[in-house]
Amino acid sequence: MNPEALVRPELDTGVPHGALLLTFAETIIGTDRPALDAARVALADALGPVAIAGASAIAGNFTKNDRVANALGIPIDDMVFKGTQDLREQLGLNDYKSAENTFRHL
């Protein structure tokens, strides 16, 4: 397992082919094109090509919703804000322009 991975494909999600879906999720947010291509092929082999479209649509929709929430400045609860300080620094979330909208409420 990659200790820096954001997604952990080895976890048992209880979802059929969950490891393949998690691997796809990990590669779709990364920069390793060959790994993404391999994840797509594995997903298509196991669930068919429609699964790639569905998983991609879900990932895209999540990204869209997350960006809309960030742009609107959805406030973070104080407990979450304090508990995620190290993670936000590690991921560079405090540097996003939209962070001004979210973090100014605290």
Side-chain angles (χ1 to χ4, degrees), residues 32 64 71:
D32 186 342
K64 173 198 59 109

Side-chain angles (χ1 to χ4, degrees), residues 19-66:
L20 293 175
L21 290 164
L22 288 174
T23 298
F24 178 74
E26 181 177 33
T27 60
I28 201 168
I29 61 175
T31 58
D32 186 342
R33 179 60 188 261
L36 176 59
D37 291 342
R40 285 181 178 137
V41 168
L43 197 56
D45 288 348
L47 297 171
V50 173
I52 297 168
S56 297
I58 290 168
N61 192 49
F62 178 82
T63 300
K64 173 198 59 109
N65 290 344
D66 188 52

Side-chain angles (χ1 to χ4, degrees), residues 79-99:
M79 180 180 78
V80 174
F81 184 73
K82 289 177 181 175
T84 61
Q85 183 173 358
D86 290 340
L87 179 62
R88 286 183 286 106
E89 286 179 21
Q90 180 184 4
L91 297 176
L93 300 180
N94 297 329
D95 300 329
Y96 284 104
K97 182 71 174 156
S98 60

